Amino acid sequence: MNLYDLFLKPYESYEMWQIILEALGTIFGLLSVYFSIKKNIWVYPTGIVSTVIYVYILFVFGLLGDMMINFYYTVMSIYGWILWSKSSQDHIHVEVSWATKKQWIFAAILFILSLGLVTLIYYYKPFIDNKFSMKGVDMGLYHLDWANWLDVFTTAVFLDGMWLMAKRKIENWLFWIVGDLICVPMMIYKGLGITSIQYVVFTVMAVIGFLQWRKSLKGA
C-alpha cells in the first residue's frame, strides 16, 4: 500500500465540509499544544474548539472511546481554564510541578475506571449503532478490531494526561507522548490521514513540552 492509499484515497469519499472540519480541528489542536508548551492559558479556548469538532468526527468514524475522551477534554478544558486562571498572576502563564504520590494513585484509579467504562460502551455499541433499538442486536465485544481496543487504551491514557495537565503536572506530557504515538497507526487505519499526521506532530511537541516544563521547574 502506497502513501496515496494511506493518506489521500479515503478522502475521495468524503464531503468537502468534512475535510475542512477535520483540518480546522487539527489546526486548533496544534495551537492548543503550542500554548500548553508555553504554559499559556490559551491552551484551553483553542483546545475547546478542536475537541468539539473531534467529538463529531470520531462519532462518525465509530471511535467511541476517543469521542468520549474529546467530550471529556471539552469539560476538563473548562475546569482547567478556571484552575489556570486562578493560579496565574498575569492570568496567562502558570507555574508547574511534579505530581505527588497521592496524585499518581488517583491517576491509576482514573485509568482503570476509564478502561472499564469505555469497554462497557463498546459492549453496547451494536445497540447504539442500531439507533438505540434492541431489535436484531447481539451485545458483546465480538465486533471490536485492533483499532477499537487501542481506542479503549488511549482513552484511558489521554484521560490521565488531561487531568494532570489541568493540575499543571509535568508528567502529563508523558501520557500525551504514549497516546499520540499509538494514535498514529490507528487514525491511518480509520482513514483519517490528516489526523494521523497531527498525532505525529503532537508527539514531537509533547516531547518538547516535557523538556521545557522540566527545564522551567529546574530553573525556578
Side-chain angles (χ1 to χ4, degrees):
M1 185 175 288
N2 55 39
L3 292 177
Y4 174 81
D5 291 332
L6 282 175
F7 293 101
L8 298 178
K9 190 173 181 178
Y11 289 94
E12 293 178 356
S13 61
Y14 298 170
E15 297 288 341
M16 180 57 68
W17 66 268
Q18 290 177 314
I19 298 174
I20 293 173
L21 201 61
E22 185 185 355
L24 285 174
T26 297
I27 291 169
F28 278 96
L30 291 170
L31 284 172
S32 179
V33 177
Y34 169 79
F35 285 125
S36 182
I37 292 173
K38 297 298 182 181
K39 297 179 292 181
N40 188 309
I41 203 168
W42 274 92
V43 57
Y44 289 112
T46 52
I48 288 172
V49 174
S50 178
T51 55
V52 168
I53 290 174
Y54 271 102
V55 165
Y56 170 75
I57 291 175
L58 293 165
F59 175 77
V60 171
F61 284 86
L63 289 170
L64 297 183
D66 270 346
M67 181 202 73
M68 290 173 60
I69 199 65
N70 274 273
F71 177 77
Y72 166 80
Y73 286 166
T74 305
V75 175
M76 282 298 293
S77 289
I78 297 171
Y79 172 68
W81 199 346
I82 294 171
L83 284 185
W84 280 37
S85 63
K86 290 182 177 179
S87 305
S88 173
Q89 293 183 352
D90 62 3
H91 300 293
I92 297 177
H93 301 90
V94 293
E95 298 300 321
V96 299
S97 62
W98 294 103
T100 64
K101 182 180 179 180
K102 183 178 180 180
Q103 287 168 330
W104 270 111
I105 293 173
F106 183 84
I109 295 172
L110 203 59
F111 185 86
I112 294 171
L113 289 176
S114 175
L115 288 178
L117 177 61
V118 180
T119 301
L120 184 63
I121 293 295
Y122 268 117
Y123 179 87
Y124 285 100
K125 187 175 185 295
F127 169 69
I128 297 171
D129 291 343
N130 201 38
K131 298 180 180 179
F132 300 97
S133 172
M134 287 295 296
K135 187 176 180 179
V137 169
D138 293 324
M139 298 296 196
L141 301 173
Y142 60 89
H143 55 86
L144 269 64
D145 57 23
W146 64 271
N148 295 134
W149 283 115
L150 283 181
D151 184 38
V152 172
F153 180 75
T154 55
T155 298
V157 171
F158 286 143
L159 191 149
D160 271 357
M162 192 69 184
W163 180 75
L164 287 168
M165 188 178 80
K167 293 294 185 180
R168 307 179 309 283
K169 301 304 174 182
I170 297 173
E171 291 92 339
N172 88 87
W173 292 109
L174 300 178
F175 286 87
W176 295 119
I177 291 168
V178 172
D180 291 341
L181 282 172
I182 295 173
C183 279
V184 174
M186 185 171 70
M187 293 303 170
I188 292 175
Y189 177 75
K190 285 294 181 178
L192 294 169
I194 294 175
T195 304
S196 70
I197 295 173
Q198 171 188 251
Y199 277 109
V200 172
V201 179
F202 278 174
T203 303
V204 176
M205 295 178 77
V207 173
I208 295 172
F210 174 74
L211 294 175
Q212 288 201 7
W213 279 34
R214 186 177 65 174
K215 182 179 179 181
S216 70
L217 184 62
K218 287 183 177 180

